[in-house]
Amino acid sequence: MAVYTEVSDDDLAGFVAGYDVGHLTSFKGIAEGVENTNYLVQTDRGRFILTLYEKRVDSGDLPFFLGLLDHLAARGIPCPTPLRDRSGAMLRELAGRPAALVSFLDGMWVRRPGVAHCRALGTALARLHLAARDYEGHRENALTVPAWRALIDACGDRLEEIEPGLAGELHGELETFERAWPSSLPRGIVHADLFPDNVFFLGEKLVGLIDFYFACTDCLAYDIAICLNAWCFEVDGAFNVTKARALLEAYGRIRPLTEEEFEALPLLARGAAMRFLATRAYDWLNTPANAFVSRKDPMEYVRRLRFHRGVAGTGEYGLDR
Amino acid sequence: MAVYTEVSDDDLAGFVAGYDVGHLTSFKGIAEGVENTNYLVQTDRGRFILTLYEKRVDSGDLPFFLGLLDHLAARGIPCPTPLRDRSGAMLRELAGRPAALVSFLDGMWVRRPGVAHCRALGTALARLHLAARDYEGHRENALTVPAWRALIDACGDRLEEIEPGLAGELHGELETFERAWPSSLPRGIVHADLFPDNVFFLGEKLVGLIDFYFACTDCLAYDIAICLNAWCFEVDGAFNVTKARALLEAYGRIRPLTEEEFEALPLLARGAAMRFLATRAYDWLNTPANAFVSRKDPMEYVRRLRFHRGVAGTGEYGLDR
């Protein structure tokens, strides 16, 4: 949550003049996004978000991300729309960084999502998957089973600092995923990071999906599995089956799950928990405790992984076939 | 430049409902202000800045600051106007912090102010001084000669880490200020921190003065002296007499300087340089190099202090009496 790259008023004015968006009246660095620098740009014609892509984003992926937003926005998905400059380009450069100007979305993210929010999320996620079906871009998921293995191996014995016994447990999990991770489920573009802070609401109405910088090609049901982890656990760690049911039912009304997808959900959800605990554990062990970037507790996702491992069948997510 | 205090959507909605400002549509933490947490709050009726006052601001001073903004805004000074809640209060509490909602100001701060910006600054500063004359609040300047002494003493011999010989030079300066600092100049409310990042422009038109959290009662000409330091030196360290003349002439057309003020300017400017180098030197020596807060080079103001010490008379600031 920071402004990593400072932009001068003169440089910004020159940049904005490249678009047909009116005259600049204000710009403020905003504390949103841990990967990139974002400015809220106001002109006499509207509000926009200027993103400067920092080093953690591979600039080779930017045409995929911006093309995807452009594709989805044209199909009515409430995501940021990249603006094209006077030459038609969506991707430009500012202050030595790749940069894009996108539409501003109203709404706020919900710290404590309720059942209605989960229902709206399920609908929006299914619509997103359908709208992306004819997008021609392709990007491999860089954070799937082999990457989890690499991250956990890099943590090594230090996993024991997080919880005694954790290294062995996670290596057992990795073996399960390497053996059983589904390969024949329906695939397409997934958001892959649809946490509550990436979904904007006005009241219970979902009005925005943002931060597509993990989007990639993978099984569609894996995106649902990520949302089950990110939206359906309470602060005390308990799984809220009512929220899960609302999410799954709403999703299924727009894109019904296949029998295989339905059966695979517990394993996918367990894998999704592994994906987030792997990056969190790595960051936890490799970020100084006094560093400016806040570290997220990996144990939260270890507990979620254990929950999914104990699930006897998809019925425990609230939905009977 | 950070969001120190997180505010949840629910807490914010409850807070905003206390004002007659319409329905909340968006809020974003903004990377502005090093002392406090600021959010840009949007409703269906307008844009506002929500400030949560962090520990570095003495909460006992907040009624003085908010009252001053209210007073100045009512007299046409382009500063943030504190909103009153439904009970008439300007100062409230949110997320365990004192908090205020103020009007949003358009405009951008200018990284490289030109002569026209300095002229506009001079006019605005004089108007500010006049508009504050009948403000009943009073706040001692906590950062005047005794505080400089305390900060420099606290740095001790470590000043030599900044530049060999600096400790002796600055102690000599302190003796000069303790002996000769003027005490009979016209006094009133001064902004005391009117750096370029606290002044918003649209083109060459000055449209906003912000960040009054150092405002206090002191000699009015000391505020001019701060601006001479903050606005009239080039990146290479050279003093730009054309900018200084523009600032002083524009100020004098609104509030003519007395003969004593005019004569005191070199010493006041030298003291203003001391004030900023004292806090910078202290922070420099007491902030870890890898900390998140960026340290400002104290030598920049040591060089400015030396410039003012070498000034033979106020004529060198471009203005003959």
Side-chain angles (χ1 to χ4, degrees):
Chain A
M1 301 224 311
V3 168
Y4 300 102
T5 303
E6 293 285 345
V7 177
S8 79
D9 52 325
D10 287 341
D11 287 350
L12 183 72
F15 183 84
V16 167
Y19 297 85
D20 181 27
V21 293
H23 293 286
L24 192 58
T25 61
S26 169
F27 78 110
K28 311 265 184 217
I30 58 178
E32 202 156 274
V34 288
E35 308 285 334
N36 299 314
T37 295
N38 289 295
Y39 286 90
L40 173 58
V41 171
Q42 312 212 193
T43 75
D44 52 2
R45 299 240 299 268
R47 287 173 285 161
F48 308 92
I49 299 287
L50 166 68
T51 300
L52 303 181
Y53 297 99
E54 303 294 341
K55 288 177 202 123
R56 265 181 91 156
V57 175
D58 181 343
S59 63
D61 286 336
L62 292 174
F64 170 85
F65 296 136
L66 292 172
L68 176 61
L69 290 173
D70 189 51
H71 179 97
L72 294 173
R75 281 153 187 80
I77 301 298
C79 64
T81 313
L83 276 76
R84 292 177 183 275
D85 71 5
R86 295 177 198 277
S87 75
M90 293 189 288
L91 184 59
R92 299 179 63 200
E93 194 179 294
L94 180 59
R97 301 259 180 256
L101 193 65
V102 304
S103 62
F104 179 91
L105 297 180
D106 269 341
M108 289 148 285
W109 73 270
V110 177
R111 273 65 177 174
R112 293 175 170 244
V115 175
H117 298 112
C118 292
R119 187 178 299 118
L121 174 72
T123 302
L125 183 63
R127 286 189 180 143
L128 169 64
H129 288 166
L130 295 184
R133 275 189 305 191
D134 58 341
Y135 179 53
E136 292 189 345
H138 180 86
R139 179 176 176 263
E140 284 298 316
N141 190 350
L143 281 171
T144 188
V145 183
W148 309 341
R149 160 71 72 188
L151 285 162
I152 295 299
D153 283 350
C155 294
D157 291 341
R158 294 193 58 209
L159 288 167
E160 302 294 304
E161 297 172 24
I162 296 172
E163 191 183 78
L166 190 58
E169 178 180 356
L170 295 186
H171 279 94
E173 289 296 307
L174 286 170
E175 285 163 21
T176 301
F177 297 129
E178 285 161 349
R179 190 179 65 248
W181 193 247
S183 60
S184 61
L185 299 177
R187 292 169 68 80
I189 301 288
V190 296
H191 182 286
D193 196 38
L194 208 49
F195 278 60
D197 57 340
N198 288 331
V199 181
F200 290 172
F201 286 88
L202 286 176
E204 293 180 348
K205 184 172 159 56
L206 189 156
V207 294
L209 302 173
I210 65 163
D211 206 349
F212 283 71
Y213 301 109
F214 288 97
C216 56
T217 309
D218 206 330
C219 347
L220 298 176
Y222 178 58
D223 231 4
I224 305 173
I226 289 172
C227 290
L228 286 173
N229 278 285
W231 291 71
C232 301
F233 286 86
E234 300 300 320
V235 175
D236 67 2
F239 183 72
N240 185 319
V241 69
T242 310
K243 291 180 181 176
R245 181 187 302 121
L247 196 166
L248 292 169
E249 279 182 353
Y251 185 96
R253 271 195 286 274
I254 306 290
R255 189 184 79 84
L257 293 186
T258 67
E259 188 64 32
E260 291 71 25
E261 284 180 298
F262 189 77
E263 295 299 331
L265 271 183
L267 185 63
L268 292 172
R270 188 170 154 193
M274 184 74 189
R275 174 256 176 272
F276 291 101
L277 85 79
T279 49
R280 286 188 179 193
Y282 182 85
D283 289 344
W284 187 268
L285 295 172
N286 292 285
T287 305
N290 63 353
F292 145 60
V293 177
S294 64
R295 306 182 305 173
K296 293 177 179 167
D297 181 6
M299 282 309 294
E300 187 182 5
Y301 274 83
V302 173
R303 289 186 285 268
R304 291 177 191 185
L305 178 144
R306 289 172 186 160
F307 170 82
H308 298 301
R309 188 169 64 214
V311 156
T314 303
E316 290 192 37
Y317 296 135
L319 202 66
D320 284 323
R321 197 64 186 181
Chain B
M1 301 224 311
V3 169
Y4 302 100
T5 302
E6 293 285 345
V7 177
S8 79
D9 52 324
D10 287 341
D11 288 348
L12 184 72
F15 182 84
V16 167
Y19 297 85
D20 180 28
V21 292
H23 293 287
L24 194 56
T25 61
S26 168
F27 78 110
K28 311 266 184 217
I30 59 178
E32 203 155 275
V34 289
E35 309 285 335
N36 300 314
T37 296
N38 290 293
Y39 286 91
L40 173 58
V41 171
Q42 312 213 193
T43 76
D44 52 3
R45 301 240 298 268
R47 288 173 283 160
F48 308 92
I49 299 287
L50 166 68
T51 301
L52 303 181
Y53 298 98
E54 303 293 341
K55 288 176 203 127
R56 266 181 90 157
V57 175
D58 180 345
S59 63
D61 286 335
L62 292 173
F64 169 85
F65 297 135
L66 293 172
L68 176 61
L69 291 173
D70 190 50
H71 179 97
L72 294 174
R75 281 151 186 81
I77 301 298
C79 64
T81 312
L83 276 75
R84 290 176 185 277
D85 72 5
R86 295 176 198 278
S87 75
M90 293 189 289
L91 183 60
R92 299 179 63 200
E93 193 179 296
L94 180 60
R97 300 258 181 257
L101 193 65
V102 304
S103 62
F104 179 90
L105 297 180
D106 269 341
M108 289 149 284
W109 73 271
V110 177
R111 273 64 176 173
R112 294 175 169 242
V115 174
H117 298 111
C118 292
R119 187 178 299 119
L121 173 72
T123 302
L125 183 63
R127 287 189 179 140
L128 168 64
H129 289 166
L130 295 184
R133 273 188 306 191
D134 58 341
Y135 179 53
E136 292 187 348
H138 179 87
R139 178 175 178 262
E140 284 298 315
N141 189 351
L143 281 171
T144 188
V145 183
W148 309 342
R149 161 71 72 186
L151 286 162
I152 294 300
D153 283 351
C155 294
D157 291 343
R158 293 192 59 209
L159 288 167
E160 304 293 304
E161 296 172 24
I162 296 173
E163 192 185 75
L166 190 59
E169 177 179 356
L170 295 186
H171 280 94
E173 289 296 307
L174 286 170
E175 285 163 21
T176 300
F177 297 130
E178 285 161 350
R179 189 180 66 246
W181 193 246
S183 60
S184 61
L185 299 177
R187 292 169 68 82
I189 302 286
V190 297
H191 182 286
D193 196 37
L194 207 49
F195 277 61
D197 57 340
N198 288 330
V199 182
F200 290 172
F201 286 89
L202 286 175
E204 293 180 349
K205 184 173 159 59
L206 189 156
V207 294
L209 302 173
I210 66 163
D211 206 349
F212 283 71
Y213 301 108
F214 287 98
C216 57
T217 309
D218 206 331
C219 346
L220 298 176
Y222 178 58
D223 231 5
I224 306 173
I226 290 171
C227 290
L228 286 173
N229 277 285
W231 291 73
C232 301
F233 286 87
E234 300 300 319
V235 176
D236 66 2
F239 184 71
N240 186 319
V241 70
T242 310
K243 292 180 180 174
R245 181 186 301 122
L247 195 167
L248 291 169
E249 279 182 353
Y251 185 96
R253 271 195 285 274
I254 306 292
R255 189 185 79 83
L257 294 187
T258 68
E259 186 65 31
E260 291 69 27
E261 285 180 298
F262 188 77
E263 295 299 330
L265 272 183
L267 185 63
L268 292 172
R270 189 169 153 191
M274 185 74 189
R275 175 255 176 272
F276 290 102
L277 84 79
T279 50
R280 287 187 179 192
Y282 182 85
D283 289 345
W284 187 268
L285 295 172
N286 292 286
T287 306
N290 64 352
F292 146 59
V293 177
S294 63
R295 305 183 304 172
K296 292 177 179 167
D297 181 5
M299 282 308 296
E300 187 182 4
Y301 274 82
V302 173
R303 288 187 286 267
R304 291 178 192 185
L305 177 144
R306 289 172 186 160
F307 170 82
H308 297 301
R309 188 169 63 212
V311 157
T314 304
E316 289 191 36
Y317 297 135
L319 201 65
D320 283 322
R321 195 65 184 180

